Amino acid sequence: IYLMLYYIVVMSTGLGVLNLVPAYWLDGQHILTSMLHILIVDDPKKRKRWTKLILRGGTFLLISNLVISLIILYYRRNGVIIL
């Protein structure tokens, strides 16, 4: 039981942290929007520009990390050692 609870806590924490990444379709998108509303009050165009820039960067990094991880997993399962 202890091991099962440990895995549940680790998985939940990992998913929670992943959900905080400022990327499209994640909660980090809404957190970023709220923070930029607080920090950049006077200029909606500037706020929208920063939101798009940060969200595109976060989404790119998230997808890049996923693709690289899948490539590494594929090669390791086929016996090729990389990285």
Side-chain angles (χ1 to χ4, degrees):
I1 281 222
Y2 173 76
L3 190 59
M4 183 179 76
L5 289 176
Y6 174 76
Y7 283 129
I8 290 172
V9 168
V10 169
M11 291 284 286
S12 295
T13 304
L15 287 173
V17 170
L18 176 69
N19 204 20
L20 291 175
V21 172
Y24 289 108
W25 309 295
L26 297 178
D27 287 339
Q29 173 183 2
H30 305 293
I31 294 169
L32 173 70
T33 304
S34 298
M35 286 181 61
L36 288 178
H37 272 280
I38 293 169
L39 296 173
I40 306 173
V41 178
D42 56 344
D43 192 2
K45 281 187 174 184
K46 186 177 181 182
R47 188 172 49 231
K48 190 170 185 173
R49 194 175 24 208
W50 275 104
T51 302
K52 281 184 178 182
L53 179 70
I54 294 171
L55 285 176
R56 286 178 182 167
T59 304
F60 173 75
L61 289 175
L62 188 65
I63 291 172
S64 299
N65 190 4
L66 178 66
V67 168
I68 290 169
S69 297
L70 289 174
I71 290 170
I72 290 172
L73 181 65
Y74 172 78
Y75 280 114
R76 284 194 180 159
R77 287 183 62 88
N78 290 323
V80 178
I81 300 174
I82 57 172
L83 299 175

